[in-house]
């Protein structure tokens, strides 16, 4: 894919160093140096693009920008516990599981799970999202309050079904597989909630457009069930289950729910 890379003067050298790394992942970039990247600039350049400024690497589209802001998640992380985070209960973070988050996205769920003790492998196949994740991981590794958690997070660029198949073939022990595949934009029953789809998701949907062939990830569930005793699938609260398989337990939140599929220890 080809994207413009907007960088500020201060980040010019950094941007030049990033370009070959992007190219290795098939992202061709045209570097454009600008004085200032602010909301007005973003509105004037609404096309999908990468941005590098003093706040790190961002993806921009439609006048907005986003990044996996792991440092910005600290307030939520500090409040997080098994009591107030359903995802922690569903994934049993207190047992410090070996966990694969097979659909990493911005890595916010994986970050929370690692913060609460899980050892997390984050898998992301989209090269741009993977580049954003690498940048977030690096920035967080230099942050005093996140450095230790970063040691529990491993990033993998690739197709999750390949990775899960390799785990099965090598009999790698995994405690939990966590799945949060894309859900169609029009898939929310509740139109008010639909309107509130977060900025991040709006930009993600531009990067991963629905052209009638959106990958909904159904094939990941049976694969995950073959390698982990516990598979947790995140869904919008009123969405159908990922496949016809009936979850053994559901944790219901306001906007989303977690479906649990348990297998006898493999
Ligand atoms: C809804 S987002 C996940 C959001 C994530 N839970 C978070 O906290 O930011 C889904 C992500 O999974 C990735 N994905 C979907 N299917 C995948 C697959 N088979 N292998 C690897 N990545 C996949 C998509 O590229 C997308 O970035």
């Amino acid at each position: 894919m080809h994207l413009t890379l907007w960088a500020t003067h201060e980040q010019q050298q950094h941007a030049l160093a990033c370009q070959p790394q992007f190219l290795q992942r098939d992202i061709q970039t045209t570097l454009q140096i600008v004085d200032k990247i602010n909301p007005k600039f973003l509105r004037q350049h609404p096309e999908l693009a990468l941005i590098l400024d003093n706040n790190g690497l961002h993806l921009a589209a439609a006048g907005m920008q986003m990044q996996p802001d792991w440092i910005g998640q600290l307030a939520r992380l500090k409040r997080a516990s098994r009591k107030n985070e359903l995802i922690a209960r569903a994934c049993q973070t207190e047992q410090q599981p070996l966990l694969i988050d097979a659909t990493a996205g911005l890595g916010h769920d994986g970050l929370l799970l690692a913060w609460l003790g899980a050892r997390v492998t984050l898998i992301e196949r989209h090269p741009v999202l993977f580049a954003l994740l690498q940048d977030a991981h690096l920035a967080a590794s230099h942050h005093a309050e996140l450095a230790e958690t970063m040691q529990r997070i491993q990033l993998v660029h690739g197709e999750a079904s390949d990775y899960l198949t390799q785990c099965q073939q090598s009999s790698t022990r995994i405690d939990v597989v966590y799945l949060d595949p894309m859900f169609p934009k029009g898939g929310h029953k509740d139109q008010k909630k639909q309107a509130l789809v977060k900025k991040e998701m709006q930009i993600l949907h531009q990067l991963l457009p629905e052209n009638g062939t959106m990958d909904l990830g159904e094939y990941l569930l049976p694969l995950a069930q073959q390698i982990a005793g516990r598979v947790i699938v995140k869904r919008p609260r009123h969405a159908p289950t990922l496949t016809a398989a009936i979850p053994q337990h559901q944790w219901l939140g306001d906007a989303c729910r977690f479906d649990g599929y348990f297998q006898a220890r493999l």
Side-chain angles (χ1 to χ4, degrees):
M1 77 185 299
H2 186 274
L3 291 172
T4 301
L5 169 60
W6 300 106
T8 52
H9 288 285
E10 284 159 296
Q11 293 295 327
Q12 182 166 3
Q13 291 309 318
H14 185 189
L16 286 167
C18 285
Q19 281 190 295
Q21 293 170 23
F22 294 151
L23 201 54
Q24 275 176 7
R25 301 196 191 281
D26 281 336
I27 313 168
Q28 289 186 28
T29 49
T30 302
L31 179 58
Q32 304 258 25
I33 303 297
V34 288
D35 287 337
K36 197 160 41 173
I37 297 170
N38 56 18
K40 186 175 169 202
F41 175 89
L42 293 173
R43 281 194 303 277
Q44 286 169 345
H45 299 89
E47 66 286 357
L48 199 62
L50 283 169
I51 286 184
L52 189 60
D53 63 14
N54 291 349
N55 295 317
L57 189 65
H58 292 74
L59 183 65
M64 301 178 282
Q65 61 173 333
M66 65 112 174
Q67 67 180 160
D69 181 10
W70 289 6
I71 294 168
Q73 293 286 306
L74 263 172
R76 177 187 176 196
L77 296 177
K78 286 180 183 173
R79 281 196 310 270
S81 70
R82 265 176 62 79
K83 279 204 182 126
N84 61 19
E85 290 286 359
L86 290 179
I87 187 176
R89 259 180 269 165
C91 294
Q92 294 189 319
T93 48
E94 77 285 1
Q95 297 186 11
Q96 304 186 337
L98 280 175
L99 182 147
I100 294 177
D101 177 346
T103 52
L106 299 178
H108 290 163
D109 290 337
L111 171 67
L112 177 66
L113 293 167
W115 173 268
L116 291 172
R119 285 155 293 163
V120 178
T121 300
L122 282 180
I123 309 176
E124 175 54 54
R125 68 177 168 201
H126 198 290
V128 171
L129 285 170
F130 188 77
L132 293 170
L133 284 172
Q134 278 186 310
D135 195 64
H137 189 274
L138 188 65
S141 300
H142 293 119
H143 191 284
E145 292 179 281
L146 283 170
E148 191 212 327
T149 301
M150 290 307 107
Q151 290 175 14
R152 289 196 291 278
I153 296 184
Q154 185 202 353
L155 300 179
V156 174
H157 179 213
E159 165 55 52
S161 54
D162 293 342
Y163 191 88
L164 296 178
T165 305
Q166 278 166 24
C167 288
Q168 190 202 8
Q169 286 168 352
S170 58
S171 307
T172 305
R173 191 181 75 92
I174 301 296
D175 300 311
V176 182
V177 175
Y178 176 75
L179 302 174
D180 177 17
M182 296 298 284
F183 191 74
K185 243 193 305 184
H188 292 273
K189 264 190 186 168
D190 184 335
Q191 289 305 311
K192 275 194 200 142
K193 289 225 173 92
Q194 161 79 41
L196 293 175
V197 171
K198 286 204 301 210
K199 175 179 82 175
E200 284 87 356
M201 289 314 285
Q202 290 182 36
I203 302 180
L204 265 190
H205 277 277
Q206 282 221 21
L207 189 67
L208 313 163
E210 287 173 49
N211 53 10
T213 58
M214 187 186 211
D215 179 353
L216 301 180
E218 307 93 327
Y219 57 92
L220 293 174
L221 177 57
L223 270 176
Q225 287 177 295
Q226 287 174 42
I227 66 157
R230 194 174 191 91
V231 180
I232 303 298
V233 183
K234 183 179 185 180
R235 307 293 284 160
R237 186 182 160 117
H238 298 291
T241 50
L242 184 57
T243 70
I246 309 226
Q248 278 97 334
H249 191 78
Q250 292 188 315
W251 289 263
L252 294 179
D254 292 340
C256 70
R257 62 163 210 273
F258 299 94
D259 292 348
Y261 302 83
F262 315 126
Q263 292 68 237
R265 200 74 201 144
L266 302 155

